[in-house]
Amino acid sequence: MQFGIFSVGQVSTDPATGRVQSEHDKIRMMVRLARRAEEVGLDVFATGEHHNPPFVPSSPTTLLGYVAAQTERLVLSTATTLITTNDPVKIAEDFATLQHLSDGRTDLMMGRGNTAPVYPWFGKDIRDGLDLAIENYHLLHRLWREDVVDWKGQHRTALQGFTATPRPLDGVPPFVWHGSIRSPEIAEQAAYYGDGFFHNNIFWPMEHVQRMVALYRRRYEHYGHGAADQAIVGLGGQVYMRPKAEDAIREFRPYFDTSYVYANGPSLEETMKTTPLTVGTPEQVIERTLAFRDAVGDYQRQLFTLDLGLPEEAVMEQVDILGEEVVPVLRKEFAIGRPAHVPDAPTHASLLAAKKDESGKSDDKEEVTR
């Protein structure tokens, strides 16, 4: 099972000091955050994609390419790649390039985002959101698997004899997660292709998450990719930890109350009660996260967000606690009782091995036919 962190790249104002973080500070902080994640033994660093203030990650592959040069084993991902407003040809090229630069340490998460004005900014209509997600990914899927593509759709110009370059590393496309909070159509899409389904459940009650994941698992089995419990599932989470729960709540409250995400919504206590937001001790985070498995079954990737409004020093302390006190226990506990037939999270190495195995089986069948 993979554990990691994701950042939406929010520029913030520290309520304790009034200091306004600059875009430069936030971008450089995200790089340092990724390096620290690798240093403490985490597996994944993911960045969101936003094209509006107060967020900075408008060019995820640029950021991740820079991180790739400064890390050795960290899987680099997006927490959202806007499949609706990005050209699938450009996605194919950019992420294949990142895949080569990172020696295969690349995957990505498709999503529609949560900023409605992004559609007209890129010449799209939000009313076409689901159609764009389905059509654009169908093209992207082909671009990575076919050397020459002829294609015609509703939302971009046709392609004739087109080859996306560079080709995926070792002929193995980056693994794709389809991220959605509320759309069953996206769970269906992930199941149809046999891709991963990531539910960023930081704002939703676990009952809703459970229903979405169960739908994806049923449809994954329906499409013949494996048993329902072999489907590839990822979950999000948000935490803030201190040795004493009351200290964690006291310290986190000002950042929660002034957060761009949480401001003017339910109270901290209500949000903690109704969503997976966990503010307390490392032991409480471990207990809460282990309970996710009770709701959705054995899953493959757990990502935490830590930097929504927090200053860098506090964020780095949280990464250290995750790496030193929380994740080692979670790795051990999640391994207990995990069925042998439930796969790990796909990596470039595992996908390449599966491709070679399938190629070998095809050669064997051809030899038998002869």
Side-chain angles (χ1 to χ4, degrees), residues 182-248:
R182 62 188 179 275
S183 301
E185 296 89 346
I186 300 304
E188 178 79 16
Q189 183 183 40
Y192 176 81
Y193 288 101
D195 295 336
F197 179 65
F198 190 95
H199 197 289
N200 188 11
N201 53 314
I202 63 173
F203 303 125
W204 289 79
M206 189 50 69
E207 293 79 9
H208 172 78
V209 179
Q210 189 175 26
R211 289 193 296 270
M212 289 286 285
V213 173
L215 169 64
Y216 161 67
R217 289 189 184 279
R218 290 195 305 271
R219 301 303 289 170
Y220 182 95
E221 183 172 295
H222 168 80
Y223 287 116
H225 300 297
D229 63 353
Q230 293 177 304
I232 308 300
V233 174
L235 296 180
Q238 183 178 6
V239 299
Y240 186 83
M241 299 168 284
R242 281 290 179 256
K244 295 182 179 180
E246 57 268 29
D247 291 338

Side-chain angles (χ1 to χ4, degrees), residues 100-282:
H100 283 274
L101 289 172
S102 65
D103 293 325
R105 295 182 291 123
T106 296
D107 60 35
L108 65 162
M109 188 188 306
M110 298 298 176
R112 289 180 292 151
N114 58 6
T115 306
V118 75
Y119 286 85
W121 293 341
F122 288 88
K124 305 298 182 182
D125 188 328
I126 192 171
R127 291 170 294 185
D128 297 327
L130 275 172
D131 288 343
L132 283 164
I134 293 167
E135 180 178 293
N136 283 353
Y137 184 65
H138 176 66
L139 174 56
L140 175 62
H141 193 268
R142 289 187 59 191
L143 289 169
W144 275 337
R145 289 163 176 82
E146 300 175 29
D147 289 338
V148 181
V149 173
D150 294 317
W151 182 87
K152 185 177 181 180
Q154 298 297 315
H155 298 288
R156 78 173 314 281
T157 54
L159 298 173
Q160 293 184 339
F162 181 78
T163 299
T165 59
R167 305 303 299 146
L169 178 64
D170 300 319
V172 177
F175 185 73
V176 171
W177 303 79
H178 297 258
S180 179
I181 295 176
R182 62 188 179 275
S183 301
E185 296 89 346
I186 300 304
E188 178 79 16
Q189 183 183 40
Y192 176 81
Y193 288 101
D195 295 336
F197 179 65
F198 190 95
H199 197 289
N200 188 11
N201 53 314
I202 63 173
F203 303 125
W204 289 79
M206 189 50 69
E207 293 79 9
H208 172 78
V209 179
Q210 189 175 26
R211 289 193 296 270
M212 289 286 285
V213 173
L215 169 64
Y216 161 67
R217 289 189 184 279
R218 290 195 305 271
R219 301 303 289 170
Y220 182 95
E221 183 172 295
H222 168 80
Y223 287 116
H225 300 297
D229 63 353
Q230 293 177 304
I232 308 300
V233 174
L235 296 180
Q238 183 178 6
V239 299
Y240 186 83
M241 299 168 284
R242 281 290 179 256
K244 295 182 179 180
E246 57 268 29
D247 291 338
I249 292 173
R250 174 178 52 79
E251 292 178 21
F252 186 73
R253 188 182 302 278
Y255 300 106
F256 177 90
D257 290 343
T258 58
S259 168
Y260 178 86
V261 173
Y262 289 114
N264 302 315
S267 67
L268 173 57
E269 286 74 14
E270 183 65 19
T271 303
M272 290 170 58
K273 180 181 178 181
T274 58
T275 79
L277 171 64
T278 307
V279 182
T281 67

